[in-house]
Each structure stands twice: as structure tokens, then as C-alpha cells.
Amino acid sequence: MRRPLVFLALALSAPRAAHAADVLSDPLNGSTTGQQNGGTFVSGGGWQAGQQITWDLGTELTEGGMSIELSNWNPNSDSPQHQFDKQQIVNMYQAGYGSPHQSDADSPKKGFFNIRTGASYDNLFKFLSSTAGFDPPPSGRHETRIKKPLGFVDSTKTYTVKVEWKATGDITAWLDSEQLVTHSHGTALRFRHVFIGTDDAPGGTYGPQKDVIYKNLKVWGTSATVPDAGAGGSGGSGGAGGSGGAGGGPATASFEPIADTYTDSLNPGASHGTDTELRAGGDGSGGIGRIIFLRFNVKGVGQVKSAKLYLKAMNAGGGGDIRAVADDSWTEPGTTHQNKPAHGAQVIASLPKVQIDGVYFFDVTSAVKGDGLVSFAITSTDGDGCGYNSREHAGTHPELVIESAGPAGTGGTGGSSGTGGAAGSANAGSGGSSAGGGGGNPTTGGTTDADDDGCGCRTPGPHSERTAGLLVFALLGALGWLRRGLT
């Protein structure tokens, strides 16, 4: 009885929801798999804030969740733990700069969620989420204050904070078994970077809630994939062929440097490859002075739409000018002012004065053409100079964030005659890979030429609904064949 296998193969080839998988598990017992910046590990297990710990999951999750245990936690309005006006205690971000302000300043704007405590937040916390920076809802920022009576949280107990999100754009915050709030964005959320203690929002207003103990961080979910290019829609019996599919959506990839260092004209023989900071300018006489060098190995990005190099400032001053470096053979331990690689004369991008703990980016799109090694130099004539975290720093590292275009859609198919569907387009607007087939007989009645246009999201039209019905019928038939075969 082989015929049921044909139907079962058809069923197996149909789209199925991916099962969430464990992505990260860190008990925070004496050590961490993340990047620790301040705080201490305490006896009995747990990390006590301190500043922050961050994790890069390595991929964006469009559906999943995270949970963490909090003890010695007092979010009540009269709590002595409130050091700052706003405290971002648990956060996830689409991009590694870890700031809602930078998420809003980026292009396109990026997603995040924050769980924020403070003396004015009604004895529990505020929950914020967005797929697009500070844009208005539904896709942009939702904010909800979870109001509880004074003393609702007992600092001698342990609580589990959990956040779950769905591919539909719904995201829900929980405290233990109580579902607190759901935000509906209507657009998929994408999270890759985890921050506890605090994030990298501007210092002074934001910071960690003092002495909270974090334990047993878990993250689970399904990885984001680039939406495929939609096939064109079928032509109506009397109309033209369906239009081509829309191109796949943009994909975002981030890369930390594989090497970074700086050179110093005032100490020309010194190597700074193992330093936790990168310095530019600062020779005191208006010359270039120190020069920062960074090298990245870009992989799997395809056609580059934008490239931004993010840096976290650890010293205030003129932000500097970024330039291309053609020679990728320099090394961290071997590079000094005396043998530094030459940098290009053309300035790719510049930054004005930067502030300590601020996160900034250079737009380097013109210098990143695709996969391969790419090196940059940052120069400055600022007499005081500036400094950024290096890849050796315990906190936020330099990060090259690249957005690449998705593939083009193919043209629509049609009926026995008539005009073929137009070719699909990539999200960058280029033509699709092929034209559609012929439409139906133009002299007879039938559906219109707009019937069932293709799209990257596979939006069903009347034809696809009928196809789905036939598929269900076939699956029911398969089950019947299989039942008879087994008996």
C-alpha cells in the first residue's frame, strides 16, 4: 500500500510551525556565559547588580521567550534600591547597542522590550515593547505600568519574571504564574541581545536597580529567517497572469571585530592590541595623534543595503573620522605607530563630540561591499581625543551591523493564454528572476487580472484557498488509505 506515502509526503512538505528550542541557559552560579560588567556573584548562587551582564544569542528570535529569577528585589515606590529615575532591569534588543534611543535613531528602526522599575512606577514595573523604536503603536512602542499595592513584592522571596512573544507580534509579561499584560504589535518582534542589571541607555537617568540578585536565566525560541521571495499569483480564467512575488525581507547580521587596536604617535613603539579601550586623537597639538584600527570578517550577507559600525564611548571627546584601510594583514600584537597600515584619505563618516557611556555609530555602507575582510581606521584631530570599548572590554563591544536585501520574487503563472504576470521585485526594487505565464482566455469571462497577486508573505487569495481545501481533502484521503492499510 504505497499510495498513502504519496499523500503523507505531501503533508510533510506543507509549512509547519517550528518548535521553540532552548537557546540560552545560564544559572549565574559563580560565573556567567555572558559579558559581565560590574556586580558580584554571591554565595548560594546568583549575580548581584552591579552594572550589567549581556549575552548575544547569535541569531534573532521571532518567536520564543525568556525567564529569570529575581531575589532581594524591592520595586516598591519607597524602595531604597532605586538609585536612578528609571532602571532597566530585564531587557532584550534586536541590535547589540542595547538602547531604546539608538533603536529609534537607527534606520530602519529596531525592536526591543524593557522591564523598568522606579519610584514612580506603582510598586512593580513598567513594561515597554516595540518593533520600531519610538514609533507609535501598534508596530511602535507600547508602554504599560503594572500597578500593585505598596508592599506587593516581598524582598525576602524569589520571583520569576517571564516574557513570551509570538510571530504574530503579541508579547506578554508574567510575574510567576500571573499574566500581567500583552502588547499586540501586528508585526513580528525580533530579539537577539539580552541585558540584565541595566542596558546601555544614556547614563544618569537610567541604571541598575541596586543589589537585586539574578538567577537562572533561560531563553528559548525559533530563529528568524529571511522571508522567501513569493511566487507570482495564478492568472484568472479570463484575465492576465498574476503579478510577481514581492522580494524577501531584509536580513540583519552583526559582527564583532576579529582584531582591534590603536597606535600612539607619542609612544610610537607601543602595541595596544590587548587593551580594553580604543583611543583616537589626543596628541594635544591638533595633529592626528592616536589612531584606532578595527578589522571584521563579514560572512553571508549578500547584497548590502546598509552597514553601521557601533561603538560605546568610554571617554568623552571628538568622536573622530572613519576611513577605509586596504591592508587587512595587520595584527593586534604587531601593530604600532611605526608600522601601522595606511588609511584612505577620504573620510567615510564623522562623529561630533561623544559622551561617556553613549553608544554611537558610523555609517560605513559605502565601504562594505559584501562578504570578506574589511578594515577601518578612526582618526581625530581633537586635542583631548576620545575612547571607545575594544573587543577585549568586559562590557559592550564594537559591532558592525549589516542589513542586506532579500531575493527577488518570480513572476506569476497564468492560464492557457493572455498576458503573463510581471516579474517580482526584491525589497531594493530590482526586477524579479522571471516573467509569469500566460493569463486565461481574454475573450471569456472570469476573474480579474488582479486575482491572487503574489507576495513574499504568501498571502492567500481565492485560488490558494481552493488549493488549501484540496490539500485538506488529500490529507483526509491519506489517513483513510493508511487506516485501511493498517487493518
Side-chain angles (χ1 to χ4, degrees):
M1 299 293 291
R2 296 181 180 272
R3 280 178 290 183
L5 297 179
V6 177
F7 291 112
L8 291 173
L10 179 61
L12 291 172
S13 66
R16 294 176 294 169
H19 294 290
D22 291 337
V23 178
L24 171 65
S25 180
D26 191 336
L28 298 170
N29 187 10
S31 63
T32 179
T33 58
Q35 293 289 331
Q36 179 186 357
N37 178 17
T40 57
F41 289 97
V42 297
S43 61
W47 173 79
Q48 188 167 32
Q51 186 66 14
Q52 66 180 198
I53 301 180
T54 68
W55 294 261
D56 181 352
L57 303 178
T59 188
E60 293 178 356
L61 304 181
T62 52
E63 186 163 29
M66 64 87 65
S67 66
I68 193 163
E69 295 176 11
L70 304 181
S71 59
N72 196 45
W73 178 45
N74 182 358
N76 291 293
S77 298
D78 60 356
S79 171
Q81 292 182 337
H82 296 318
Q83 305 178 91
F84 300 90
D85 179 45
K86 302 167 184 177
Q87 292 143 151
Q88 318 272 54
I89 62 169
V90 179
N91 316 269
M92 289 189 72
Y93 285 90
Q94 182 177 354
Y97 35 74
S99 165
H101 305 79
Q102 290 296 326
S103 297
D104 184 64
D106 205 350
S107 179
K109 297 183 178 184
K110 299 298 191 293
F112 62 90
F113 78 73
N114 304 135
I115 291 180
R116 180 185 295 174
T117 62
S120 63
Y121 288 160
D122 302 301
N123 308 308
L124 194 54
F125 56 69
K126 179 191 280 190
F127 181 60
L128 306 92
S129 63
S130 177
T131 68
F134 296 159
D135 280 1
S139 61
R141 181 174 60 177
H142 287 254
E143 297 186 16
T144 304
R145 292 192 183 200
I146 314 298
K147 297 182 179 181
K148 295 294 182 181
L150 185 66
F152 174 79
V153 171
D154 182 347
S155 62
T156 66
K157 296 181 179 179
T158 298
Y159 296 85
T160 298
V161 171
K162 180 174 70 173
V163 178
E164 293 184 304
W165 59 95
K166 298 179 180 179
T168 57
D170 288 356
I171 181 168
T172 301
W174 302 71
L175 184 67
D176 291 340
S177 61
E178 181 182 357
Q179 181 176 332
L180 299 173
V181 62
T182 296
H183 294 163
S184 296
H185 292 280
T187 302
L189 296 136
R190 295 174 179 269
F191 300 128
R192 172 172 172 168
H193 300 269
V194 184
F195 290 73
I196 65 169
T198 189
D199 59 6
D200 285 332
T205 300
Y206 301 89
Q209 185 173 348
K210 182 181 179 182
D211 295 335
V212 177
I213 298 172
Y214 297 79
K215 294 181 182 179
N216 295 323
L217 170 67
K218 297 182 184 298
V219 181
W220 59 94
T222 54
S223 300
T225 56
V226 180
D228 65 347
S234 300
S237 59
S243 64
T252 301
S254 63
F255 304 90
E256 290 193 3
I258 58 173
D260 62 9
T261 187
Y262 73 91
T263 62
D264 188 351
S265 61
L266 300 180
N267 194 0
S271 168
H272 299 279
T274 59
D275 287 15
T276 59
E277 57 192 89
L278 302 169
R279 292 185 173 272
D283 73 345
S285 60
I288 281 183
R290 303 180 184 97
I291 302 176
I292 295 170
F293 293 93
L294 304 104
R295 183 167 68 248
F296 298 86
N297 188 10
V298 178
K299 296 180 180 180
V301 298
Q303 179 186 350
V304 176
K305 290 187 65 181
S306 72
K308 295 181 174 69
L309 173 54
Y310 287 88
L311 298 162
K312 183 174 182 180
M314 45 69 62
N315 188 40
D321 304 316
I322 193 163
R323 308 165 189 262
V325 174
D327 181 3
D328 293 313
S329 65
W330 58 272
T331 65
E332 282 188 338
T335 300
T336 68
H337 181 75
Q338 295 170 332
N339 65 6
K340 64 185 184 298
H343 58 70
Q346 181 179 358
V347 175
I348 301 169
S350 301
L351 282 176
K353 189 175 182 66
V354 299
Q355 301 296 330
I356 295 175
D357 288 335
V359 178
Y360 303 88
F361 72 84
F362 291 98
D363 189 331
V364 294
T365 305
S366 63
V368 181
K369 306 303 182 184
D371 290 359
L373 297 175
V374 58
S375 291
F376 299 101
I378 300 174
T379 64
S380 175
T381 57
D382 187 286
D384 184 41
C386 68
Y388 302 101
N389 290 1
S390 75
R391 74 189 189 113
E392 285 80 16
H393 196 278
T396 304
H397 295 174
E399 187 171 22
L400 180 63
V401 179
I402 298 176
E403 182 181 320
S404 55
T410 57
T413 58
S416 58
S417 64
T419 304
S425 61
N427 53 36
S430 60
S433 58
S434 64
N441 187 335
T443 62
T444 60
T447 53
T448 68
D449 59 0
D451 198 9
D452 210 11
D453 286 353
C455 76
C457 55
R458 297 286 199 264
T459 303
H463 294 298
S464 24
E465 289 173 0
R466 287 196 291 272
T467 303
L470 291 173
L471 177 60
V472 172
F473 181 79
L475 293 176
L476 292 174
L479 293 174
W481 276 98
L482 183 59
R483 187 179 296 111
R484 286 195 292 272
L486 294 173
T487 56

